[in-house]
Every structure is written in C-alpha cells, then in structure tokens.
Amino acid sequence: MANFFDLKARKAAASAGASSKGTQKADRSSLQPWVEKYRPKSLSEVTAQDHTISVLQRTMQASNLPHMLFYGPPGTGKTSTILALAKQLYGPELFRSRVLELNASDERGIAIVREKVKDFARQQLSNPPSGPAGVEYRKRYPCPPFKIIVLDEADSMTQDAQSALRRTMETYSKITRFCLVCNYVTRIIDPLASRCSKFRFKSLDHKNASQRLKDIAGTEGIRVGDGAVDALVKCSEGDLRRAITYLQSAARLVVPTKQAAKGEDEMDIDDAEGSQLVTVTIVEEIAGIIPGQTIESLLNAMRPMPKKQAYDSIATVVQDLISDGWSASQLLNQMYEKVLFDERIADIQKQTIAIVFSETDKRLVDGADEHLEVLDLALKVSECMA
Amino acid sequence: MSLLVDKHRPKDLTQLTYHYDLTKRLEALAQSPDFPHLLIYGPSGAGKKTRINCTLRALYGPSVSKIRIDSRQFVTSSNRKLDFTIASSNQHLEITPADVGPHDRVIVQDLLKEVAQTQSVDLSARHRFKVVVVNEAEYLSREAQAALRRTMEKYSGNVRMILVANSTANIIAPIRSRCLLVRVAAPTGEDVVGVLKEVGRKEGWKESGGLNERIAGECGRNLRRALLMFEAVYAQNETVTDTTPIPPPDWEAFIEQIAADIVAERSPQQIMVVRGKLYDLLVHCIPATQVIKSLAFRLIPKVAPELRPEVIKWAAFYEHRVKMGSKQIFHLEAFVTKVMRLIESHMMGIDIDF
C-alpha cells in the first residue's frame, strides 16, 4: 500500500516539473500515457469548469479549504482539479507527506478507513523546508496547515466504510481536509454529503474539448485530419480522458509505421513530421464505432417490405454484422440514435421501439447471445415500423 | 499427424493471409518500442489467436513458440484451493482465468502481480516487458476486471496484456479505454476459398473449386470450421468432386433431426421424443446456447415466413432465460413447446395471442 502511494506521489512530483529528475522524467514521459502526461499542472489549466475553478482559487487565497465533494461524469477533470490544487498548495516537496490519495482499485473496506485513513488524518503536519530556501518555497506555495485526503471514486466505497468516515472527518478537521471524488453524488450517504461543500463538474462542451485535443496533438506532433478531432469528441461523449486515450492509440497506429520505414529504433514520438494523418476512419475504428453505412444498410433492411422477404434481408445483414465482429452494445447505441431521430418513423412507433431496445439491452448485459439478440431486435423494430 | 488447422497455422506475420491492413498495423506495433495493451475481439474462427501468436513472434523471435505448461495452486481468501494451468514461454504466458469461474479475481491479482513485479533479467532480450495473454476475457468477472485495471496502469513497464474476447460487451469501460482495440473480422467467403486452395495445394490434394466454394458457404465465415470440414471431406472420400457431400458435424445433423421432428408432429408425445434428444446433446457437452441457436436457424427454413420473426423472438427470449436460470433443459423444452404451439396455431389459422 505504501508503495502505491509513493509511486503516485512520485509521478505527480515528476510531472510537477522537478528539474533534478529531468533525465529520468524524459525517459519515462514518452512511455507515459498522455492522460497522465497532460494532466493539468495548475488550476488555471483545467478546462471548462470556470465556476468551480474560480471558487477554488478564491478559497486558496484565503488559505482555508472546506471538505469537498466533487461529482460529475467521468473524464471531466475532477481528479485533475484536486491534484492540481494540492500541487499548488504544497509544491513538490510537501506533496508526498501532505496528500493521501486512495482510489477504487485500492482496498477500501472499512478496515482501511479505520486504520490507514485515520492514521494519516491523525499524523502531525510535516514542516515546510526551513532556512532561506524555505522562505522562498513558502512564497511560491502557501502550504496551509492541513493535509488533504483524496478519496477517488468514492461512490464505490461501501456504506459501512462511508459511515466510518463520518466521525473521522470531524475529529481531525483541524489538520485534515477530505476531498471525495465521485460520479454519482446519490451514492454518497447523506451525512457525508452534508459535511462537504459540493462542486459539480459539468460535461465538457465541444469547443473546449476539441481545443485541448488540438493542443495535445500539436505538442506531440501528430497531424490530425479534417474532422478527426470532431470525431474524437463525438466518440468520447464529453469524456476528455477517453478522447485523449483514443488520440494516443490513433497516434500509435500512425507514427510507428513511419519509424519502421525509416528503420529508427529509438523512441522519438515527438518528432513525427510527415507522418500519416490521423483520420476520421482511424478514430472510429479505434473507438469501435460501426461505420455509418453499415448501420444504414441494416436500417434499410428493416424498412417495411413484404413479409416473405423481410426475414431474409434482415438475417443476411445481421449475419454479416456479427461475423465482422461488431459489438452488439455498440450497435444498439448507434441504432438507437438513428431510429430516434428518424423523421420517417412516427412518434407512437418510436415509443414501442424504445421498449424493444430497453429489453434487448438488459438481455445483452445479462450475457445473452449477441447474434440472436440483434436479430430479434431488428425483426421486432421492423415489425414496429410496419 | 496433426489436424490441418494446426499444421498450416501461420507462424509469422508475413504468412498471414487476409486482413492485410491489420497485419501491417500489428507489425508496426511489434516494431515500435511502445507496445500498448491490446484488446483483440472478433467472432470465433476469425484468426485472433493466430494473429496474437504471430505478433508475439515478431516481438520476441521464435523462442516464444517453446511453450511449457505448468499447473499452479492458488488459495482464495476463503481458503479454497484452486488449480490453475498456465501455458508459458520465457517471454509470455497465457491464461484463461474464466476456468476458475467466480474466483478469477484471485488469479488476476496474484499471478499477474507476481509477473508484473518481477523484471526480466535477460538483458539481451528485445523487450523489457512480458506479455500476458488473457483468453476469454469477456467472461472475467467485474471484480477481476477492476483488479486488472490497477495492474495494467501500475506495472505497465513490466507487463503488457493482450486480452482476447469474442465481444467487447462485457468488458468494463475503464479496461476498454486502457487498451488499443483491435477488431478481427471473420474472413469473407473469398478469403476462405483462398485459404482452402492454399492448404489443399500444400497437402497435394486434388483441387475442386466447387467444393471449396461450398465449404466457404457452409462454414458461416468460420475458418477453423471450414478447415475441419475440408479435412473431413478428403478423409472420407477417395476421389473428391464438386458435388461430394460435406458431412456436417454430428451434433448439427442431430439438431437438424430435432428440427424436423418438431415440424413433423406437434404433440405431447413428440415433446418427449425431442426431450430425449435434447438431453443427448446436453450430455455430450453441447452448450445450450448453441443448441437453441442452431435449432432456431434450422427451424427457420421449415416454417412459414410469417412465423420466422416469432421463432427468433422466442429463441432470443429462451436463450436469455438459459443464461439467467439454473436448469438448461427447462428452457430448451419451453422453446420447443412454444415453437410447436406457434406452428400449430398458425396452421389452424388462429391468431397468435399469448
């Protein structure tokens, strides 16, 4: 457990730009996921959460913080914000001793809350560096007299573990602040929620997300084709982390070909001029998006036609879809979008169709056979449209 | 003597036929120093494993093909002992955590962590990391997947995962977003014909274009099946012509019989007859899903066109029930009875209203 914490802190320290570890960092950063590499380093870099950021910046100047509860959909910068805030408060030297970060992959049962969290909460504050260097340090970082415990993905904590936190939060509030990060605020028990000031993180809008992606592509030297950024934003549904991961995967596909061709075996991802374009097709392939025309052909097959042919035409298209390995859940999502906005289908029909979709989705989650389910769905929808 | 499927399995990326774009990409990935985690998905018999083996070979050289099989014991938190087999070479290991059912989390945590925490000592090795191939990744439990999530990030220096799945539906989003998704589509009819031709040539068998085409049509774009059928035809017949019949697998012939039974007579006695046959299939370890699916698709050409959507509807319904319920035969029989009733009421001209 201790190792894990160290590693996180080290990573954080490295990305904070500790110059002493320059060489090591350079070696690593090319292998680092871009999501980590481009995590905002200060509050002002966090995109598209203006309200939250301005409130946090104000509280930072006052050198006091409430307990905080960050909630919002994935990939909107919740973890990034709290980490950036902590970095700005403590700087690289104190970060390790003042911040405890636990996320869902760590064991977080009631025992951990009782021991680890409590122990950390109870600990004496570590001192900022002394001497003239310390004065300088303190000028740059406010180093307020409390520690921060970040409980990432708090909604996956058990109820018991959450209630064990209640008293701990109050008892040590003099020297410790808690920050709970979660997707669903309703999963946090009321007594905890009422102890925190809540910050809602809204889904990233198109403009901000694409701007950020363009910046990253620019820094990495990836040439992005027309519309590819839009496709990325669309595929990732406001989740910036997913968009960045997709971008990196796309870059991996595009860049190495050029390296192999040139016979370089050093990792030189930053210098990729003249490499291939990241195109919409590549992005969609990576995201597992089914091409529009495939969906279209299925929808066409589903259009009302004489009963005799209906089954055969649908069955062939579905057979091909399944053989091509497209995921049924993805197909469901995309078809739903299409059907929903199809003007040619009457509202009353859409109503029945929605029920069919819901039923199929449930069955797929239960692990039913994809081929049968998709075929069934297609047949039922086509019947509804008739 | 080994089966054709194994004998002529491509060993090198360069030998792979069809999906050339994909091959190129895999080659590029193997060359680059930064090999990502992969999630390879596609229907069975499309060539997922073949491609993985070829990629591994491109990564490490021929020594990956020297595989040894170990059996290891793991102890769950409730002190149950699990035996687990691992196929490994010096550079990679291959596991099927779904074998141990709900205890797969222990395997993922213990084994993967152990591998991940030990660095390769061989300095001359081309890559510092080991590759772990996880078969049937879609059957991993949620907990195992959550445990994997952390391992994948934390030890990405020492270990790279290749997950193999038939579909991505049951793989949680965090895992998906950490992997590079690679879709291996099933080969098209022409691809299959090409492969059959090539294999036939290597074996020195007399070629018969018409037969190849027919096998390609019959196999449902599953190359493994196509090759097995191909071999069966040549094993059973001295001289092979375009019209030589293709023997279907035993169980499919059997299901065909059941379908014929159902259509032929619809009565309680007949249900009993069918029941015996269904039991036979289950006893021979044919998965219930497979039974329902084949049965439905075999019933389709036998019933009136108006009934076809209904048959599929109930097939899907009972297949789901099979997954949810505990006793398979109930749902298989329910399906049979339903279909009988459908056919009956259609013939009597009564509207289907239930």
Side-chain angles (χ1 to χ4, degrees):
Chain A
M1 287 310 264
N3 269 342
F4 177 70
F5 169 56
D6 278 1
L7 189 92
K8 272 276 176 185
R10 227 186 304 139
K11 230 189 231 165
S15 52
S19 54
S20 58
K21 292 177 190 158
T23 50
Q24 197 193 343
K25 187 192 137 206
D27 185 20
R28 256 186 156 185
S29 63
S30 65
L31 292 179
Q32 229 179 7
W34 292 356
V35 179
E36 289 295 329
K37 199 168 163 190
Y38 293 100
R39 222 178 247 288
K41 292 176 185 68
S42 67
L43 280 183
S44 46
E45 279 179 47
V46 177
T47 18
Q49 309 292 350
D50 305 326
H51 175 70
T52 314
I53 298 304
S54 66
V55 171
L56 283 179
Q57 253 157 355
R58 242 176 287 144
T59 52
M60 209 176 79
Q61 274 151 14
S63 259
N64 195 13
L65 273 183
H67 293 305
M68 286 170 295
L69 173 59
F70 289 0
Y71 64 98
T76 46
K78 299 178 296 294
T79 315
S80 299
T81 306
I82 185 64
L83 288 182
L85 176 72
K87 256 171 234 155
Q88 273 187 312
L89 283 177
Y90 301 115
E93 308 250 325
L94 278 183
F95 188 87
R96 200 191 297 192
S97 58
R98 290 280 185 97
V99 180
L100 174 68
E101 194 199 343
L102 292 173
N103 61 31
S105 47
D106 300 293
E107 193 62 49
R108 254 188 337 189
I110 188 159
I112 294 296
V113 171
R114 285 211 181 114
E115 289 162 30
K116 204 169 167 196
V117 172
K118 219 167 170 183
D119 282 352
F120 186 84
R122 228 185 322 212
Q123 254 172 35
Q124 279 291 332
L125 290 174
S126 55
N127 286 320
S130 53
V135 177
E136 186 62 24
Y137 190 84
R138 238 177 294 185
K139 246 182 228 166
R140 281 173 54 204
Y141 304 106
C143 301
F146 51 78
K147 300 174 297 246
I148 296 185
I149 297 182
V150 182
L151 295 172
D152 211 341
E153 294 155 42
D155 38 11
S156 65
M157 284 172 81
T158 58
Q159 291 253 338
D160 289 348
Q162 288 191 33
S163 34
L165 265 183
R166 286 157 67 165
R167 196 61 198 149
T168 318
M169 277 175 92
E170 279 173 354
T171 324
Y172 303 104
S173 62
K174 263 192 185 157
I175 51 170
T176 305
R177 297 287 181 277
F178 281 85
C179 179
L180 305 177
V181 179
C182 64
N183 293 129
Y184 304 102
V185 73
T186 40
R187 302 252 178 91
I188 303 292
I189 56 171
D190 279 346
L192 269 194
S194 71
R195 281 176 175 78
C196 303
S197 49
K198 293 181 198 157
F199 293 94
R200 188 172 70 87
F201 282 70
K202 53 183 185 297
S203 206
L204 257 75
D205 58 277
H206 198 101
K207 207 182 95 217
N208 279 311
S210 55
Q211 187 52 44
R212 186 86 186 130
L213 286 172
K214 275 182 199 147
D215 288 349
I216 292 176
T219 337
E220 291 288 339
I222 306 291
R223 299 201 306 142
V224 182
D226 289 339
V229 169
D230 291 332
L232 273 173
V233 175
K234 213 177 122 210
C235 297
S236 56
E237 294 156 9
D239 181 343
L240 191 57
R241 176 176 41 206
R242 195 143 44 118
I244 295 176
T245 319
Y246 285 159
L247 180 64
Q248 187 174 16
S249 307
R252 271 184 184 135
L253 287 184
V254 170
V255 176
T257 29
K258 165 236 165 195
Q259 280 185 341
K262 275 195 175 181
E264 294 174 356
D265 69 339
E266 259 321 292
M267 44 194 104
D268 216 359
I269 293 173
D270 298 55
D271 167 46
E273 287 193 24
S275 64
Q276 286 170 282
L277 279 175
V278 172
T279 56
V280 181
T281 340
I282 293 184
V283 170
E284 288 191 337
E285 175 70 40
I286 284 172
I289 302 279
I290 304 166
Q293 73 202 85
T294 315
I295 298 274
E296 205 54 50
S297 70
L298 179 58
L299 284 175
N300 278 337
M302 277 157 42
R303 294 250 161 259
M305 54 172 81
K307 279 244 167 176
K308 273 218 160 67
Q309 299 152 29
Y311 174 80
D312 291 333
S313 66
I314 292 176
T316 15
V317 179
V318 170
Q319 173 73 46
D320 282 349
L321 265 171
I322 297 294
S323 297
D324 279 339
W326 298 113
S327 118
S329 45
Q330 181 66 36
L331 179 74
L332 215 62
N333 283 341
Q334 284 184 257
M335 255 173 56
Y336 186 67
E337 290 269 298
K338 278 269 180 199
V339 170
L340 211 60
F341 295 108
D342 195 332
E343 298 280 323
R344 289 170 293 181
I345 304 171
D347 283 353
I348 192 90
Q349 291 173 335
K350 282 181 189 172
Q351 230 174 50
T352 10
I353 291 175
I355 296 174
V356 175
F357 270 100
S358 116
E359 175 66 28
T360 311
D361 183 59
K362 155 83 176 130
R363 288 191 194 165
L364 282 176
V365 170
D366 286 340
D369 184 80
E370 298 201 342
H371 190 170
L372 277 180
E373 287 305 333
V374 173
L375 188 53
D376 179 38
L377 172 92
L379 289 170
K380 274 187 194 159
V381 171
S382 123
E383 193 183 329
C384 291
M385 288 198 296
Chain B
M1 201 190 110
S2 57
L3 292 172
L4 288 185
V5 186
D6 298 316
K7 201 164 154 196
H8 297 290
R9 193 186 288 277
K11 298 209 167 47
D12 227 301
L13 281 175
T14 49
Q15 294 172 0
L16 290 172
T17 53
Y18 69 91
H19 296 335
Y20 292 103
D21 280 354
L22 182 61
T23 312
K24 234 185 269 164
R25 264 195 234 158
L26 289 174
E27 218 167 82
L29 286 175
Q31 296 298 329
S32 86
D34 178 25
F35 187 73
H37 299 296
L38 291 183
L39 170 56
I40 300 198
Y41 66 102
S44 62
K48 299 185 291 294
K49 279 308 279 294
T50 311
R51 276 169 179 73
I52 290 171
N53 286 337
C54 295
T55 313
L56 285 174
R57 214 176 153 97
L59 269 176
Y60 296 110
S63 61
V64 270
S65 313
K66 280 192 198 121
I67 289 180
R68 58 173 185 274
I69 293 178
D70 303 323
S71 180
R72 289 265 308 264
Q73 211 172 49
F74 292 90
V75 181
T76 63
S77 52
S78 55
N79 263 335
R80 249 191 68 166
K81 290 202 178 98
L82 302 171
D83 284 314
F84 188 67
T85 36
I86 305 162
S88 62
S89 76
N90 282 337
Q91 288 90 2
H92 87 291
L93 66 162
E94 216 180 296
I95 53 174
T96 313
D99 283 351
V100 288
H103 301 292
D104 50 359
R105 191 176 62 104
V106 187
I107 307 281
V108 168
Q109 279 182 334
D110 290 5
L111 181 70
L112 288 187
K113 253 188 202 164
E114 183 189 304
V115 177
Q117 282 173 340
T118 42
Q119 281 208 356
S120 159
V121 278
D122 184 6
L123 285 176
S124 60
R126 227 185 299 174
H127 294 281
R128 297 280 301 283
F129 54 82
K130 268 195 170 188
V131 171
V132 176
V133 180
V134 179
N135 288 326
E136 296 178 26
E138 77 265 39
Y139 296 118
L140 281 174
S141 63
R142 287 283 149 112
E143 297 85 52
Q145 291 190 39
L148 207 60
R149 189 173 156 180
R150 179 186 179 204
T151 322
M152 283 170 89
E153 275 185 342
K154 195 174 158 191
Y155 303 110
S156 64
N158 289 340
V159 67
R160 295 295 144 85
M161 318 277 308
I162 300 184
L163 306 174
V164 192
N166 278 337
S167 88
T168 54
N170 285 329
I171 295 183
I172 59 172
I175 299 273
R176 255 188 282 174
S177 77
R178 278 172 182 78
C179 294
L180 178 55
L181 270 72
V182 179
R183 184 173 58 88
V184 182
T188 57
E190 294 117 65
D191 292 334
V192 175
V193 171
V195 172
L196 291 181
K197 217 167 137 187
E198 178 66 21
V199 169
R201 194 181 55 76
K202 277 189 193 155
E203 287 289 317
W205 290 343
K206 195 168 99 20
E207 191 194 318
S208 139
L211 178 78
N212 288 354
E213 300 258 326
R214 266 174 42 233
I215 292 183
E218 286 270 311
C219 72
R221 296 179 67 184
N222 181 336
L223 189 57
R224 185 185 309 126
R225 216 165 130 193
L227 280 171
L228 289 173
M229 276 153 66
F230 187 61
E231 191 167 9
V233 170
Y234 277 90
Q236 289 177 5
N237 299 289
E238 291 274 310
T239 49
V240 173
T241 60
D242 283 1
T243 49
T244 313
I246 305 167
D250 287 348
W251 62 274
E252 288 210 350
F254 205 64
I255 290 183
E256 176 76 46
Q257 259 182 44
I258 298 181
D261 284 351
I262 294 175
V263 179
E265 193 194 325
R266 299 156 303 274
S267 62
Q269 292 78 27
Q270 195 67 8
I271 294 181
M272 288 309 286
V273 174
V274 169
R275 166 187 228 181
K277 293 190 172 170
L278 287 177
Y279 258 124
D280 242 13
L281 283 172
L282 289 181
V283 166
H284 286 93
C285 293
I286 309 289
T289 299
Q290 198 66 49
V291 175
I292 287 207
K293 212 167 135 180
S294 311
L295 191 53
F297 285 124
R298 272 166 209 279
L299 279 168
I300 290 293
K302 294 190 189 350
V303 300
E306 299 84 56
L307 283 180
R308 289 176 186 175
E310 287 291 317
V311 172
I312 292 294
K313 173 179 160 193
W314 292 110
F317 179 83
Y318 286 111
E319 198 275 328
H320 175 231
R321 284 280 180 91
V322 167
K323 284 275 156 58
M324 300 304 289
S326 57
K327 198 152 170 68
Q328 295 171 338
I329 192 74
F330 289 165
H331 309 294
L332 288 179
E333 281 192 323
F335 174 62
V336 169
T337 321
K338 193 66 152 190
V339 173
M340 284 187 178
R341 193 166 159 190
L342 277 177
I343 299 173
E344 193 71 12
S345 53
H346 179 71
M347 286 176 107
M348 310 271 282
I350 309 167
D351 260 0
I352 311 153
D353 55 344
F354 38 81

